[in-house]
Amino acid sequence: MNIGQAAKHSGLSAKMIRHYEAIGLIAPAGRGANGYRHYTEADLQRLAFIRRSRDLGFSLAEVGRLLGLWENSQRTSAEVKALACAHIEALERRIDELASLRDTLRNLVDHCRGDERPDCPIIRELETGGRRTDRCPS
């Protein structure tokens, strides 16, 4: 199967497949007589594993560790679970950060009149970073 077919089958772009090859997540594909990359069923399974891992938000480094665990018949499920739990904790931190950003922006939007006047708390926040600018002169 050539790279275009592998891309279609895996749901990844040919560019991403070449990138994963370049960074070592997949072994360099064999080449046919025409010089085109040739992917095997095992390559497709590995690409599917990578795609599912990335869809769950695992970083490339984490995907590399998961691949290593997947290939290691001596692995323990505790190792896999620990990696997944650490990823969940990171996701929860990111969710909290995003919720805080949303709440801050919602508050700014709620306090913006959205009328024809130039005064806008959203612009003021972006300009000052929340610092007070109406201080009394010393």
Side-chain angles (χ1 to χ4, degrees):
M1 179 175 297
N2 68 30
I3 195 167
Q5 294 165 323
K8 186 173 183 176
H9 187 271
S10 67
L12 297 167
S13 68
K15 182 177 179 177
M16 284 310 302
I17 293 172
R18 285 190 293 274
H19 176 67
Y20 292 154
E21 193 175 302
I23 64 172
L25 285 182
I26 61 171
R31 300 282 180 153
N34 58 7
Y36 293 151
R37 288 176 168 86
H38 177 76
Y39 294 90
T40 65
E41 187 60 37
D43 294 328
L44 295 177
Q45 287 178 328
R46 191 172 182 91
L47 289 169
F49 186 97
I50 293 168
R51 173 147 190 232
R52 286 190 297 271
S53 299
R54 294 293 286 156
D55 286 348
L56 289 173
F58 285 100
S59 69
L60 290 175
E62 291 167 327
V63 171
R65 288 193 290 275
L66 285 167
L67 284 166
L69 290 167
W70 179 44
E71 294 170 334
N72 179 359
S73 62
Q74 302 301 311
R75 72 174 175 271
T76 65
S77 63
E79 294 172 281
V80 180
K81 184 176 182 175
L83 183 59
C85 287
H87 182 60
I88 290 169
E89 290 173 10
L91 288 172
E92 287 173 343
R93 282 190 304 275
R94 184 67 179 140
I95 289 166
D96 290 344
E97 291 168 4
L98 289 171
S100 177
L101 291 172
R102 179 205 56 218
D103 294 347
T104 298
L105 189 54
R106 181 172 285 143
N107 184 49
L108 291 168
V109 167
D110 288 347
H111 287 90
C112 180
R113 293 181 188 208
D115 58 15
E116 301 301 318
R117 297 174 15 179
D119 182 48
C120 178
I122 300 166
I123 293 293
R124 191 169 42 251
E125 170 69 20
L126 294 173
E127 175 186 11
T128 66
R131 293 183 320 274
R132 299 274 322 229
T133 58
D134 57 346
R135 296 186 180 135
C136 295
S138 337

